[in-house]
Structure formats: structure tokens, C-alpha cells
Amino acid sequence: MNLVHSTEGLRYVLYVNDRSLFGASHLLPMLQMNSGRLVGVFLPSKKRMQIFNNVGQTMAPQSRGVVDRIRNRISLVLRKRPQDAPKPRIMAPGRFDVVTVCEQFGIPVHIEDDVNSRSSLKTLAALRPDVVVSGGYIQVFSEELLGIPERLSVNCHPSSLPRYRGRHPHYWALWHGEASTGITAHVMDARVDAGPIVHHQPIKILDSDYYEHLYIKINAAVPSVIRAIDSFVSESKVAQEEASSADESYFSEPTDEHRRLRWHELDASGARNRIRAGRAFVEDESRRVFITTANLDLDESTSSRPGEIVRCGRNIVVATQSGCLQITELEVDGHRLFASDAARFLNLRPQACFGM
């Protein structure tokens, strides 16, 4: 690939999953690049999404706050469009209509069952891209696809590569109690989420961050990453080599066993990390009870057995393998309840076992 030629009129093509806010949030900053222009957007078809969802579902509901933030930023740009241009629509659940936005800017959208098919590769080649950017796309690109762009293909992955390759890296970062994560833009090769580093945007994880909070931070950082890619291409920079493979890790779709709270196997910090990551649950008789927020109970010293309810009041305090957890909110039968209300509804009492 030629890395030294004029950046005037560079042609970018974007591959995103428009059902993911991480993917969709790449669109606006790519409309504002300095080094070139967006000439095409590829989206997965319903058929491709069904294949993807058969492997696993997204871990947590999309944040309405993220949707509103993206919508407001897009509206600032669209104010410059003709008065009769249609406004971008919010698509339930939690997505804005990428197709409508692209139509307003005259950008062709290609919805594909398989981006590695002969017809899709022909469509991409006809766009004569200099740079391909992938933001949360749900299919591994073939070497033939990666060879079409004149300059390079870049993937934006929401982790500090080479750690947390694979699916839902922000979930796993919380699950493991990490203090930081990031978004890594890297040159794509035949491997998954691997290749020389174009840019790394660090993101701090606070102890108070849950899945939704971290997801908001990740989406808010996407424009900075796109600007860094823009600068990288326009200044013909050289990508950095990957970090040592000794640091790498790969994770797939979380399962029920990753979300299940087994009090006798977890200390209080480990249990809370699973809760922060999302959809952590216990099984109480015939129903699953999801614990949505909790804190470490630093004041409680107990000899209670793991899983035993130490105290019920405003909060539910449960003993773990080591230490106690103070549960503040739960989800029961689809309803989110404060701990005191959930305790009454589930008839929880001190010294009883919470969860099987």
C-alpha cells in the first residue's frame, strides 16, 4: 500500500453496525474529517445480524443518554442542511437512523449479508477507497477486502489492545475490576483485533462506573480517535508495533456462568465487579433476580455463611466468601426496585439464604 501521496480528496469508507451505538457514533466525526471525505457506508443486513445474534446477544441495554448525546451532536451539523431535508430519527431500541443521515449528506449506503462476498467486494472496489474504517462491525474482513483500500484499513476496538480482544471488551474490563481501558485504532490484518497501532485513546474506569457509564465514556471518546486516524493518514505517520503478546487476552460472549453470583466462590469485590459489568443475578426459588447496583460494606464484620442475608433494611447486606456486599437496587420480573422494596416483594429476612 502506498503511504506517501497527496491527502487531497482522500476517499474513506466506513463499516459499522448501526444497531450498536459504538458503531453509529463513528459517523459524525467521519463527516467532519480534514484529510478527505466519506464516500460510502456499509451496514450489516438483518440476515447478518441474525447470524451474529445466534452467537450471542449484546450484554446491556443501550443508554438513552448516549442516544440523546449523539442525536444532539448530529443535529448541530444538520442545521446547515436544506430546510426540507428529513431529520434523523431515533430508532428503538436506542439507535439513530444512520441511513437517513447518510442520505442527507449524499453518502451511499450498502447493506450487506456478507462483506467478503464477490458482489460486496466489487461494490467496495468501485468506491476506490483510500482508507477503510471499521467501527464495531460484526464480521471478520477477508484479506481480499483488506487489500482493496489504497492506503490502509483501520479498526477501532474498545479496549487497550492487545488486552481484551474479541467481544464486549468493556464488559470484561469491568468484570475483572480494571482501573482503565481505552479505544485502540489499529491497522487491520488477518487476525481478529490485531495489527500495528495507529492510536490509543485511554479511558479511566472509576470505581463508581457501571456498564452504562463506561459505555458512555467509550462513545464520547470516538471523535478523538477518528481525529487521530485523520491526522495519521494526512501526515503519513507510521503505525506502532503491537505490545508484547504476553499482555494479550481474548474473550468471547459472556455466558450465564459469568453473570451468576455464587456467593461461596466470590469475595465482595469480585461479586461487585460482576454486578458493575451487567446482568449479574442470583436464582431465588423459580426466578432470576438481577442485582443492578451494590457497594462494598466496609463496616460489616460477620461470621455468616456465604449467601446469608446479614441485614435487611434500606439495603440488603449479603455475606460473600470474604466480606459483605451492600445491595442497593435489584431487578425482579423486569421491574427495577430499591433494595427495601425488593426485600418486601421477595420476603427476604436476615439469616435467610439469598439465592440458590
Side-chain angles (χ1 to χ4, degrees):
M1 296 182 183
N2 179 18
L3 294 180
V4 184
H5 67 66
S6 171
T7 61
E8 183 177 356
L10 282 175
R11 301 169 66 85
Y12 284 80
V13 171
L14 175 63
Y15 284 76
V16 292
N17 171 16
D18 61 329
R19 293 161 178 83
S20 157
L21 284 174
F22 175 71
S25 62
H26 288 66
L27 179 59
L28 179 59
M30 290 201 68
L31 292 171
Q32 300 173 319
M33 292 182 299
N34 294 320
S35 69
R37 61 191 178 93
L38 189 60
V39 298
V41 174
F42 284 74
L43 306 177
S45 66
K46 290 183 178 179
K47 178 180 179 181
R48 172 54 57 178
M49 286 304 304
Q50 288 172 351
I51 295 172
F52 177 74
N53 288 334
N54 283 339
V55 177
Q57 297 287 341
T58 299
M59 278 304 307
Q62 306 286 20
S63 164
R64 183 71 189 190
V66 178
V67 178
D68 290 340
R69 185 175 302 184
I70 295 173
R71 177 183 60 187
N72 292 338
R73 290 170 57 206
I74 286 180
S75 66
L76 293 175
V77 176
L78 294 180
R79 287 174 187 171
K80 301 177 182 179
R81 306 301 295 164
Q83 291 293 326
D84 58 349
K87 295 181 179 180
R89 295 175 287 122
I90 297 297
M91 305 291 286
R95 55 182 284 233
F96 66 86
D97 192 345
V98 170
V99 174
T100 298
V101 175
C102 288
E103 287 175 350
Q104 292 176 329
F105 284 88
I107 299 169
V109 175
H110 307 279
I111 300 175
E112 301 286 349
D113 291 339
D114 180 5
V115 295
N116 297 316
S117 68
R118 299 308 308 168
S119 60
S120 184
L121 293 174
K122 184 177 180 180
T123 300
L124 175 62
L127 293 172
R128 298 181 291 108
D130 293 294
V131 181
V132 160
V133 175
S134 171
Y137 204 76
I138 60 173
Q139 189 177 358
V140 177
F141 292 177
S142 66
E143 291 189 22
E144 187 172 0
L145 189 159
L146 297 178
I148 291 176
E150 181 69 19
R151 299 286 289 275
L152 76 166
S153 297
V154 181
N155 178 48
C156 298
H157 183 73
S159 81
S160 297
L161 292 176
R163 304 187 70 191
Y164 297 108
R165 289 176 172 146
R167 300 184 68 171
H168 303 298
H170 33 301
Y171 171 89
W172 291 113
L174 289 167
W175 198 90
H176 286 98
E178 300 286 0
S180 65
T181 184
I183 301 176
T184 306
H186 65 92
V187 178
M188 300 173 71
D189 58 27
R191 299 168 296 166
V192 175
D193 299 327
I197 304 300
V198 170
H199 176 74
H200 174 251
Q201 183 74 29
I203 297 172
K204 186 176 181 180
I205 302 177
L206 301 178
D207 183 67
S208 57
D209 284 340
Y210 285 73
Y211 185 100
E212 180 175 320
H213 305 128
L214 183 55
Y215 197 69
I216 290 173
K217 289 183 178 182
I218 289 170
N219 280 275
V222 169
S224 295
V225 176
I226 296 301
R227 287 193 294 270
I229 295 172
D230 186 20
S231 174
F232 177 90
V233 175
S234 64
E235 298 174 18
S236 298
K237 297 179 181 179
V238 177
Q240 302 174 9
E241 290 301 317
E242 297 175 87
S244 169
S245 59
D247 297 328
E248 72 177 326
S249 58
Y250 179 89
F251 292 90
S252 56
E253 188 77 22
T255 67
D256 281 351
E257 286 308 304
H258 296 113
R259 297 189 291 264
R260 192 186 309 273
L261 295 172
R262 299 185 185 277
W263 304 115
H264 63 284
E265 296 178 356
L266 297 167
D267 62 15
S269 293
R272 183 170 181 266
N273 287 339
R274 293 195 181 195
I275 293 166
R276 293 168 64 211
R279 308 303 289 169
F281 67 90
V282 297
E283 290 184 331
D284 184 69
E285 296 181 350
S286 60
R287 61 160 59 92
R288 284 187 177 181
V289 177
F290 295 93
I291 301 176
T292 53
T293 61
N295 297 305
L296 301 181
D297 194 318
L298 302 178
D299 298 328
E300 191 70 46
S301 177
T302 179
S303 58
S304 300
R305 67 187 186 278
E308 182 178 331
I309 297 174
V310 178
R311 189 172 68 250
C312 256
R314 182 177 180 181
N315 301 313
I316 302 169
V317 178
V318 180
T320 69
Q321 181 192 64
S322 176
C324 291
L325 195 67
Q326 187 181 92
I327 299 170
T328 53
E329 290 187 5
L330 305 89
E331 181 184 311
V332 184
D333 297 340
H335 301 285
R336 192 159 179 170
L337 304 172
F338 290 116
S340 56
D341 297 326
R344 286 192 293 271
F345 182 80
L346 297 170
N347 196 29
L348 300 179
R349 296 287 186 272
Q351 298 184 335
C353 183
F354 183 40
M356 299 173 62

